[in-house]
Amino acid sequence: MTQKPSLSGVPARELVGILSRLPSYRAGQVFEWINKGIESFLEMDNLPLALRRELDECFCLRKTSLIKKLEDSDGGAAKLQIGVSGGIVEGVLLSDGAGRRTACLSTQLGCAMGCVFCRTGLMGLTRNLDSAEITEQFYHIRKLYPDIANIVFMGMGEPLANLLELRRSLQVLCRTMSPRRITVSTCGLADGIIRLADEGPAVRLAVSLTTAREDLRARLMPVSSANPLRRLKEALLYHQRKQGRRVTLEAVLLGGVNTGTEDAAAMSAFAEGMNAVVNLIPWNPVENICFEGIPLKEPSGADIMCFRAELEKRGLKTVLRRKKGRAVCGACGQLGAAAGSGH
Ligand code: SAH
Ligand code: SF4
C-alpha cells in the first residue's frame, strides 16, 4: 500500500498551495491543528465534517511511529526510538535542574561526516530525513512530555547537510516556538552557515569546534579539510553580523587529546572578535572507538577543570554540560545504537 502524503512538517505557505481549492483561512486552521500535534483530521472540529473526511482520505498526519521509550532512572532524560521508512531515528528529551525541558531532534538517518569520536558518525549516512520526519519527532516527544522550552538539533545527523528539509521543519516549528529557543548544531559547514544566515529562520547556532588546532581538528573531524578554521570563522562572523546572536562553540572533551593549554590558547584566538560562549561536553564513551590506534577516553575531572580555567583566564565564557542521558544512550554522540540495545 502506498502511503498517503503527510501534511505534518509542511510550512504554512506551502499548505495554502496544497489546499488551494479551499479558502486560505482553512489552510491556516489545518496548519494550527497539525502544529498542536493532533493525529487525526477528524479531530479538527472547526472544519466541516465532509472536509475532515476528505482530508483524511487524501493525506495522513504521521509517517513515523513511536517504537520505544527509554527513560533515565532520575527522569532527567528520555530517548524515543522513532520508526521511519528504512530505519530508526532517535529523539531525546533532556530536563535541566530547574525542570526546563529540551527536545533534541535528529535530521538524518546516520551521518556522513565521520567525526571519529561520535557513534552516529560510525554508522555512515543512510539518508536525509524530510521535514515531516523531523517535526514529527517533536510531536512525539511533546505528546509524552508537554511544556518543552527549547529545541536543539543535536541528535543524529548533520543539520546543514540537509538544509532544505531542515529549513522547512524550522519554518513549521518556529510557529510554535520562538526561534530564540531553537538551536541548530553543525560540525562547521561554512556554506550552510552562510545560507542559513541569509535565508533564515533566525535560529541560534552552535558549532562543534572540538578544537581550534587546525591539524588536530582535521584528524578528528574530516569535515575540516573542506572547511578550514579561517573559512569557518568568516562564516560565523557573517552569521553573527546578520542575526546578531551569540554563537555557541561546542567542545567535546577527549581525555588527553584536546584539553591542553595549547588547545585553550587556540580556542581563545578563534573566538576573538566573536560573541561566543564555549559549551564544554565531556566525551560520552562509545565502545570500540580508537583515535589513531589509541582508545579514546573520558577526560578526568582535573582535565575538565584545568581546561575550563585556561579558557576563562583568557576571557572566554564557558558552560559545562552535565552528563545527561547516558543511561539511555541518549547523550551526545551516543545516538545510533541498534533498537533495543540502549544499555
Ligand atoms: N552533527 C551536528 C549535530 C549532532 S552532534 C554536530 O556535529 O554539531 C551534537 C554534538 O555532540 C556535537 O557537538 C558533537 O561534537 C557532540 N558529540 C559527538 N559525539 C560525542 C560523544 N561521544 N560524547 C559527547 N559529545 C559528542
Ligand atoms: Fe555527524 Fe555531528 Fe556525529 Fe560529526 S558529531 S559524525 S557531524 S552527528
Side-chain angles (χ1 to χ4, degrees), residues 111 113-115 117-118 120-121 155-158 187:
C111 182
M113 298 296 145
C115 305
F117 44 82
C118 172
T120 314
M156 292 165 75
E158 167 49 41
C187 61

Side-chain angles (χ1 to χ4, degrees), residues 117-118 154-155 157-158 185-187 208 250 252 283-284 286 332-333:
F117 44 82
C118 172
M154 294 184 187
E158 167 49 41
S185 174
T186 173
C187 61
S208 301
E250 297 165 280
V252 47
W283 183 66
N284 293 309
V286 177
C332 290

Side-chain angles (χ1 to χ4, degrees), residues 59-334:
F59 303 104
C60 73
L61 290 172
R62 288 287 175 276
K63 61 190 293 191
T64 65
S65 56
L66 179 60
I67 293 182
K68 196 167 175 178
K69 178 181 79 171
L70 300 154
E71 252 175 6
D72 242 2
S73 51
D74 67 359
K79 177 164 83 170
L80 271 53
Q81 294 183 330
I82 294 163
V84 298
S85 161
I88 291 173
V89 293
E90 292 165 334
V92 177
L93 183 274
L94 301 161
S95 304
D96 67 11
R100 261 190 314 267
R101 289 169 165 171
T102 297
C104 174
L105 309 183
S106 298
T107 51
Q108 297 183 310
L109 186 50
C111 182
M113 298 296 145
C115 305
V116 302
F117 44 82
C118 172
R119 173 188 262 156
T120 314
L122 281 182
M123 293 170 66
L125 177 68
T126 303
R127 67 173 176 85
N128 282 337
L129 301 180
D130 67 19
S131 173
E133 293 166 322
I134 299 170
T135 43
E136 287 179 26
Q137 292 170 53
F138 177 70
Y139 298 148
H140 286 300
I141 296 173
R142 189 181 56 183
K143 188 175 171 190
L144 294 174
Y145 306 95
D147 303 324
I148 307 247
N150 300 287
I151 298 175
V152 294
F153 285 81
M154 294 184 187
M156 292 165 75
E158 167 49 41
L160 299 186
N162 184 12
L163 195 59
L164 186 80
E165 295 299 316
L166 170 78
R167 290 189 58 248
R168 290 179 76 228
S169 71
L170 288 174
Q171 284 159 9
V172 173
L173 293 170
C174 283
R175 295 280 295 263
T176 179
M177 180 150 325
S178 154
R180 280 182 298 113
R181 297 184 168 279
I182 302 180
T183 301
V184 169
S185 174
T186 173
C187 61
L189 299 178
D191 289 347
I193 292 170
I194 289 169
R195 277 193 57 194
L196 191 62
D198 283 339
E199 297 169 16
V203 292
R204 290 185 186 277
L205 193 66
V207 176
S208 301
L209 188 60
T210 312
T211 176
R213 281 163 59 199
E214 189 96 67
D215 59 327
L216 179 61
R217 191 168 196 269
R219 282 146 61 207
L220 291 166
M221 302 177 72
V223 68
S224 312
S225 348
N227 296 269
L229 288 170
R230 233 187 63 188
R231 172 112 185 79
L232 178 57
K233 182 163 178 174
E234 277 165 14
L236 292 177
L237 289 172
Y238 181 81
H239 188 278
Q240 200 145 63
R241 274 199 304 278
K242 278 224 121 154
Q243 307 285 11
R245 296 205 197 288
R246 175 191 275 182
V247 65
T248 300
L249 304 176
E250 297 165 280
V252 47
L253 304 180
L254 310 165
V257 174
N258 65 345
T259 56
T261 318
E262 206 187 324
D263 295 275
M267 197 164 284
S268 101
F270 183 83
E272 210 177 296
M274 237 182 255
N275 177 8
V277 59
V278 180
N279 205 335
L280 301 169
I281 314 169
W283 183 66
N284 293 309
V286 177
E287 65 283 1
N288 304 326
I289 284 202
C290 282
F291 172 52
E292 298 175 348
I294 301 164
L296 279 177
K297 59 178 199 295
E298 294 177 57
S300 68
D303 287 343
I304 300 172
M305 265 173 46
C306 290
F307 187 59
R308 189 175 190 183
E310 288 292 335
L311 291 175
E312 297 206 329
K313 199 168 85 186
R314 292 171 171 79
L316 271 172
K317 294 187 195 72
T318 64
V319 175
L320 178 61
R321 200 174 298 168
R322 290 172 60 215
K323 295 174 186 173
K324 279 281 178 198
R326 278 193 182 188
V328 290
C329 247
C332 290
Q334 290 188 312

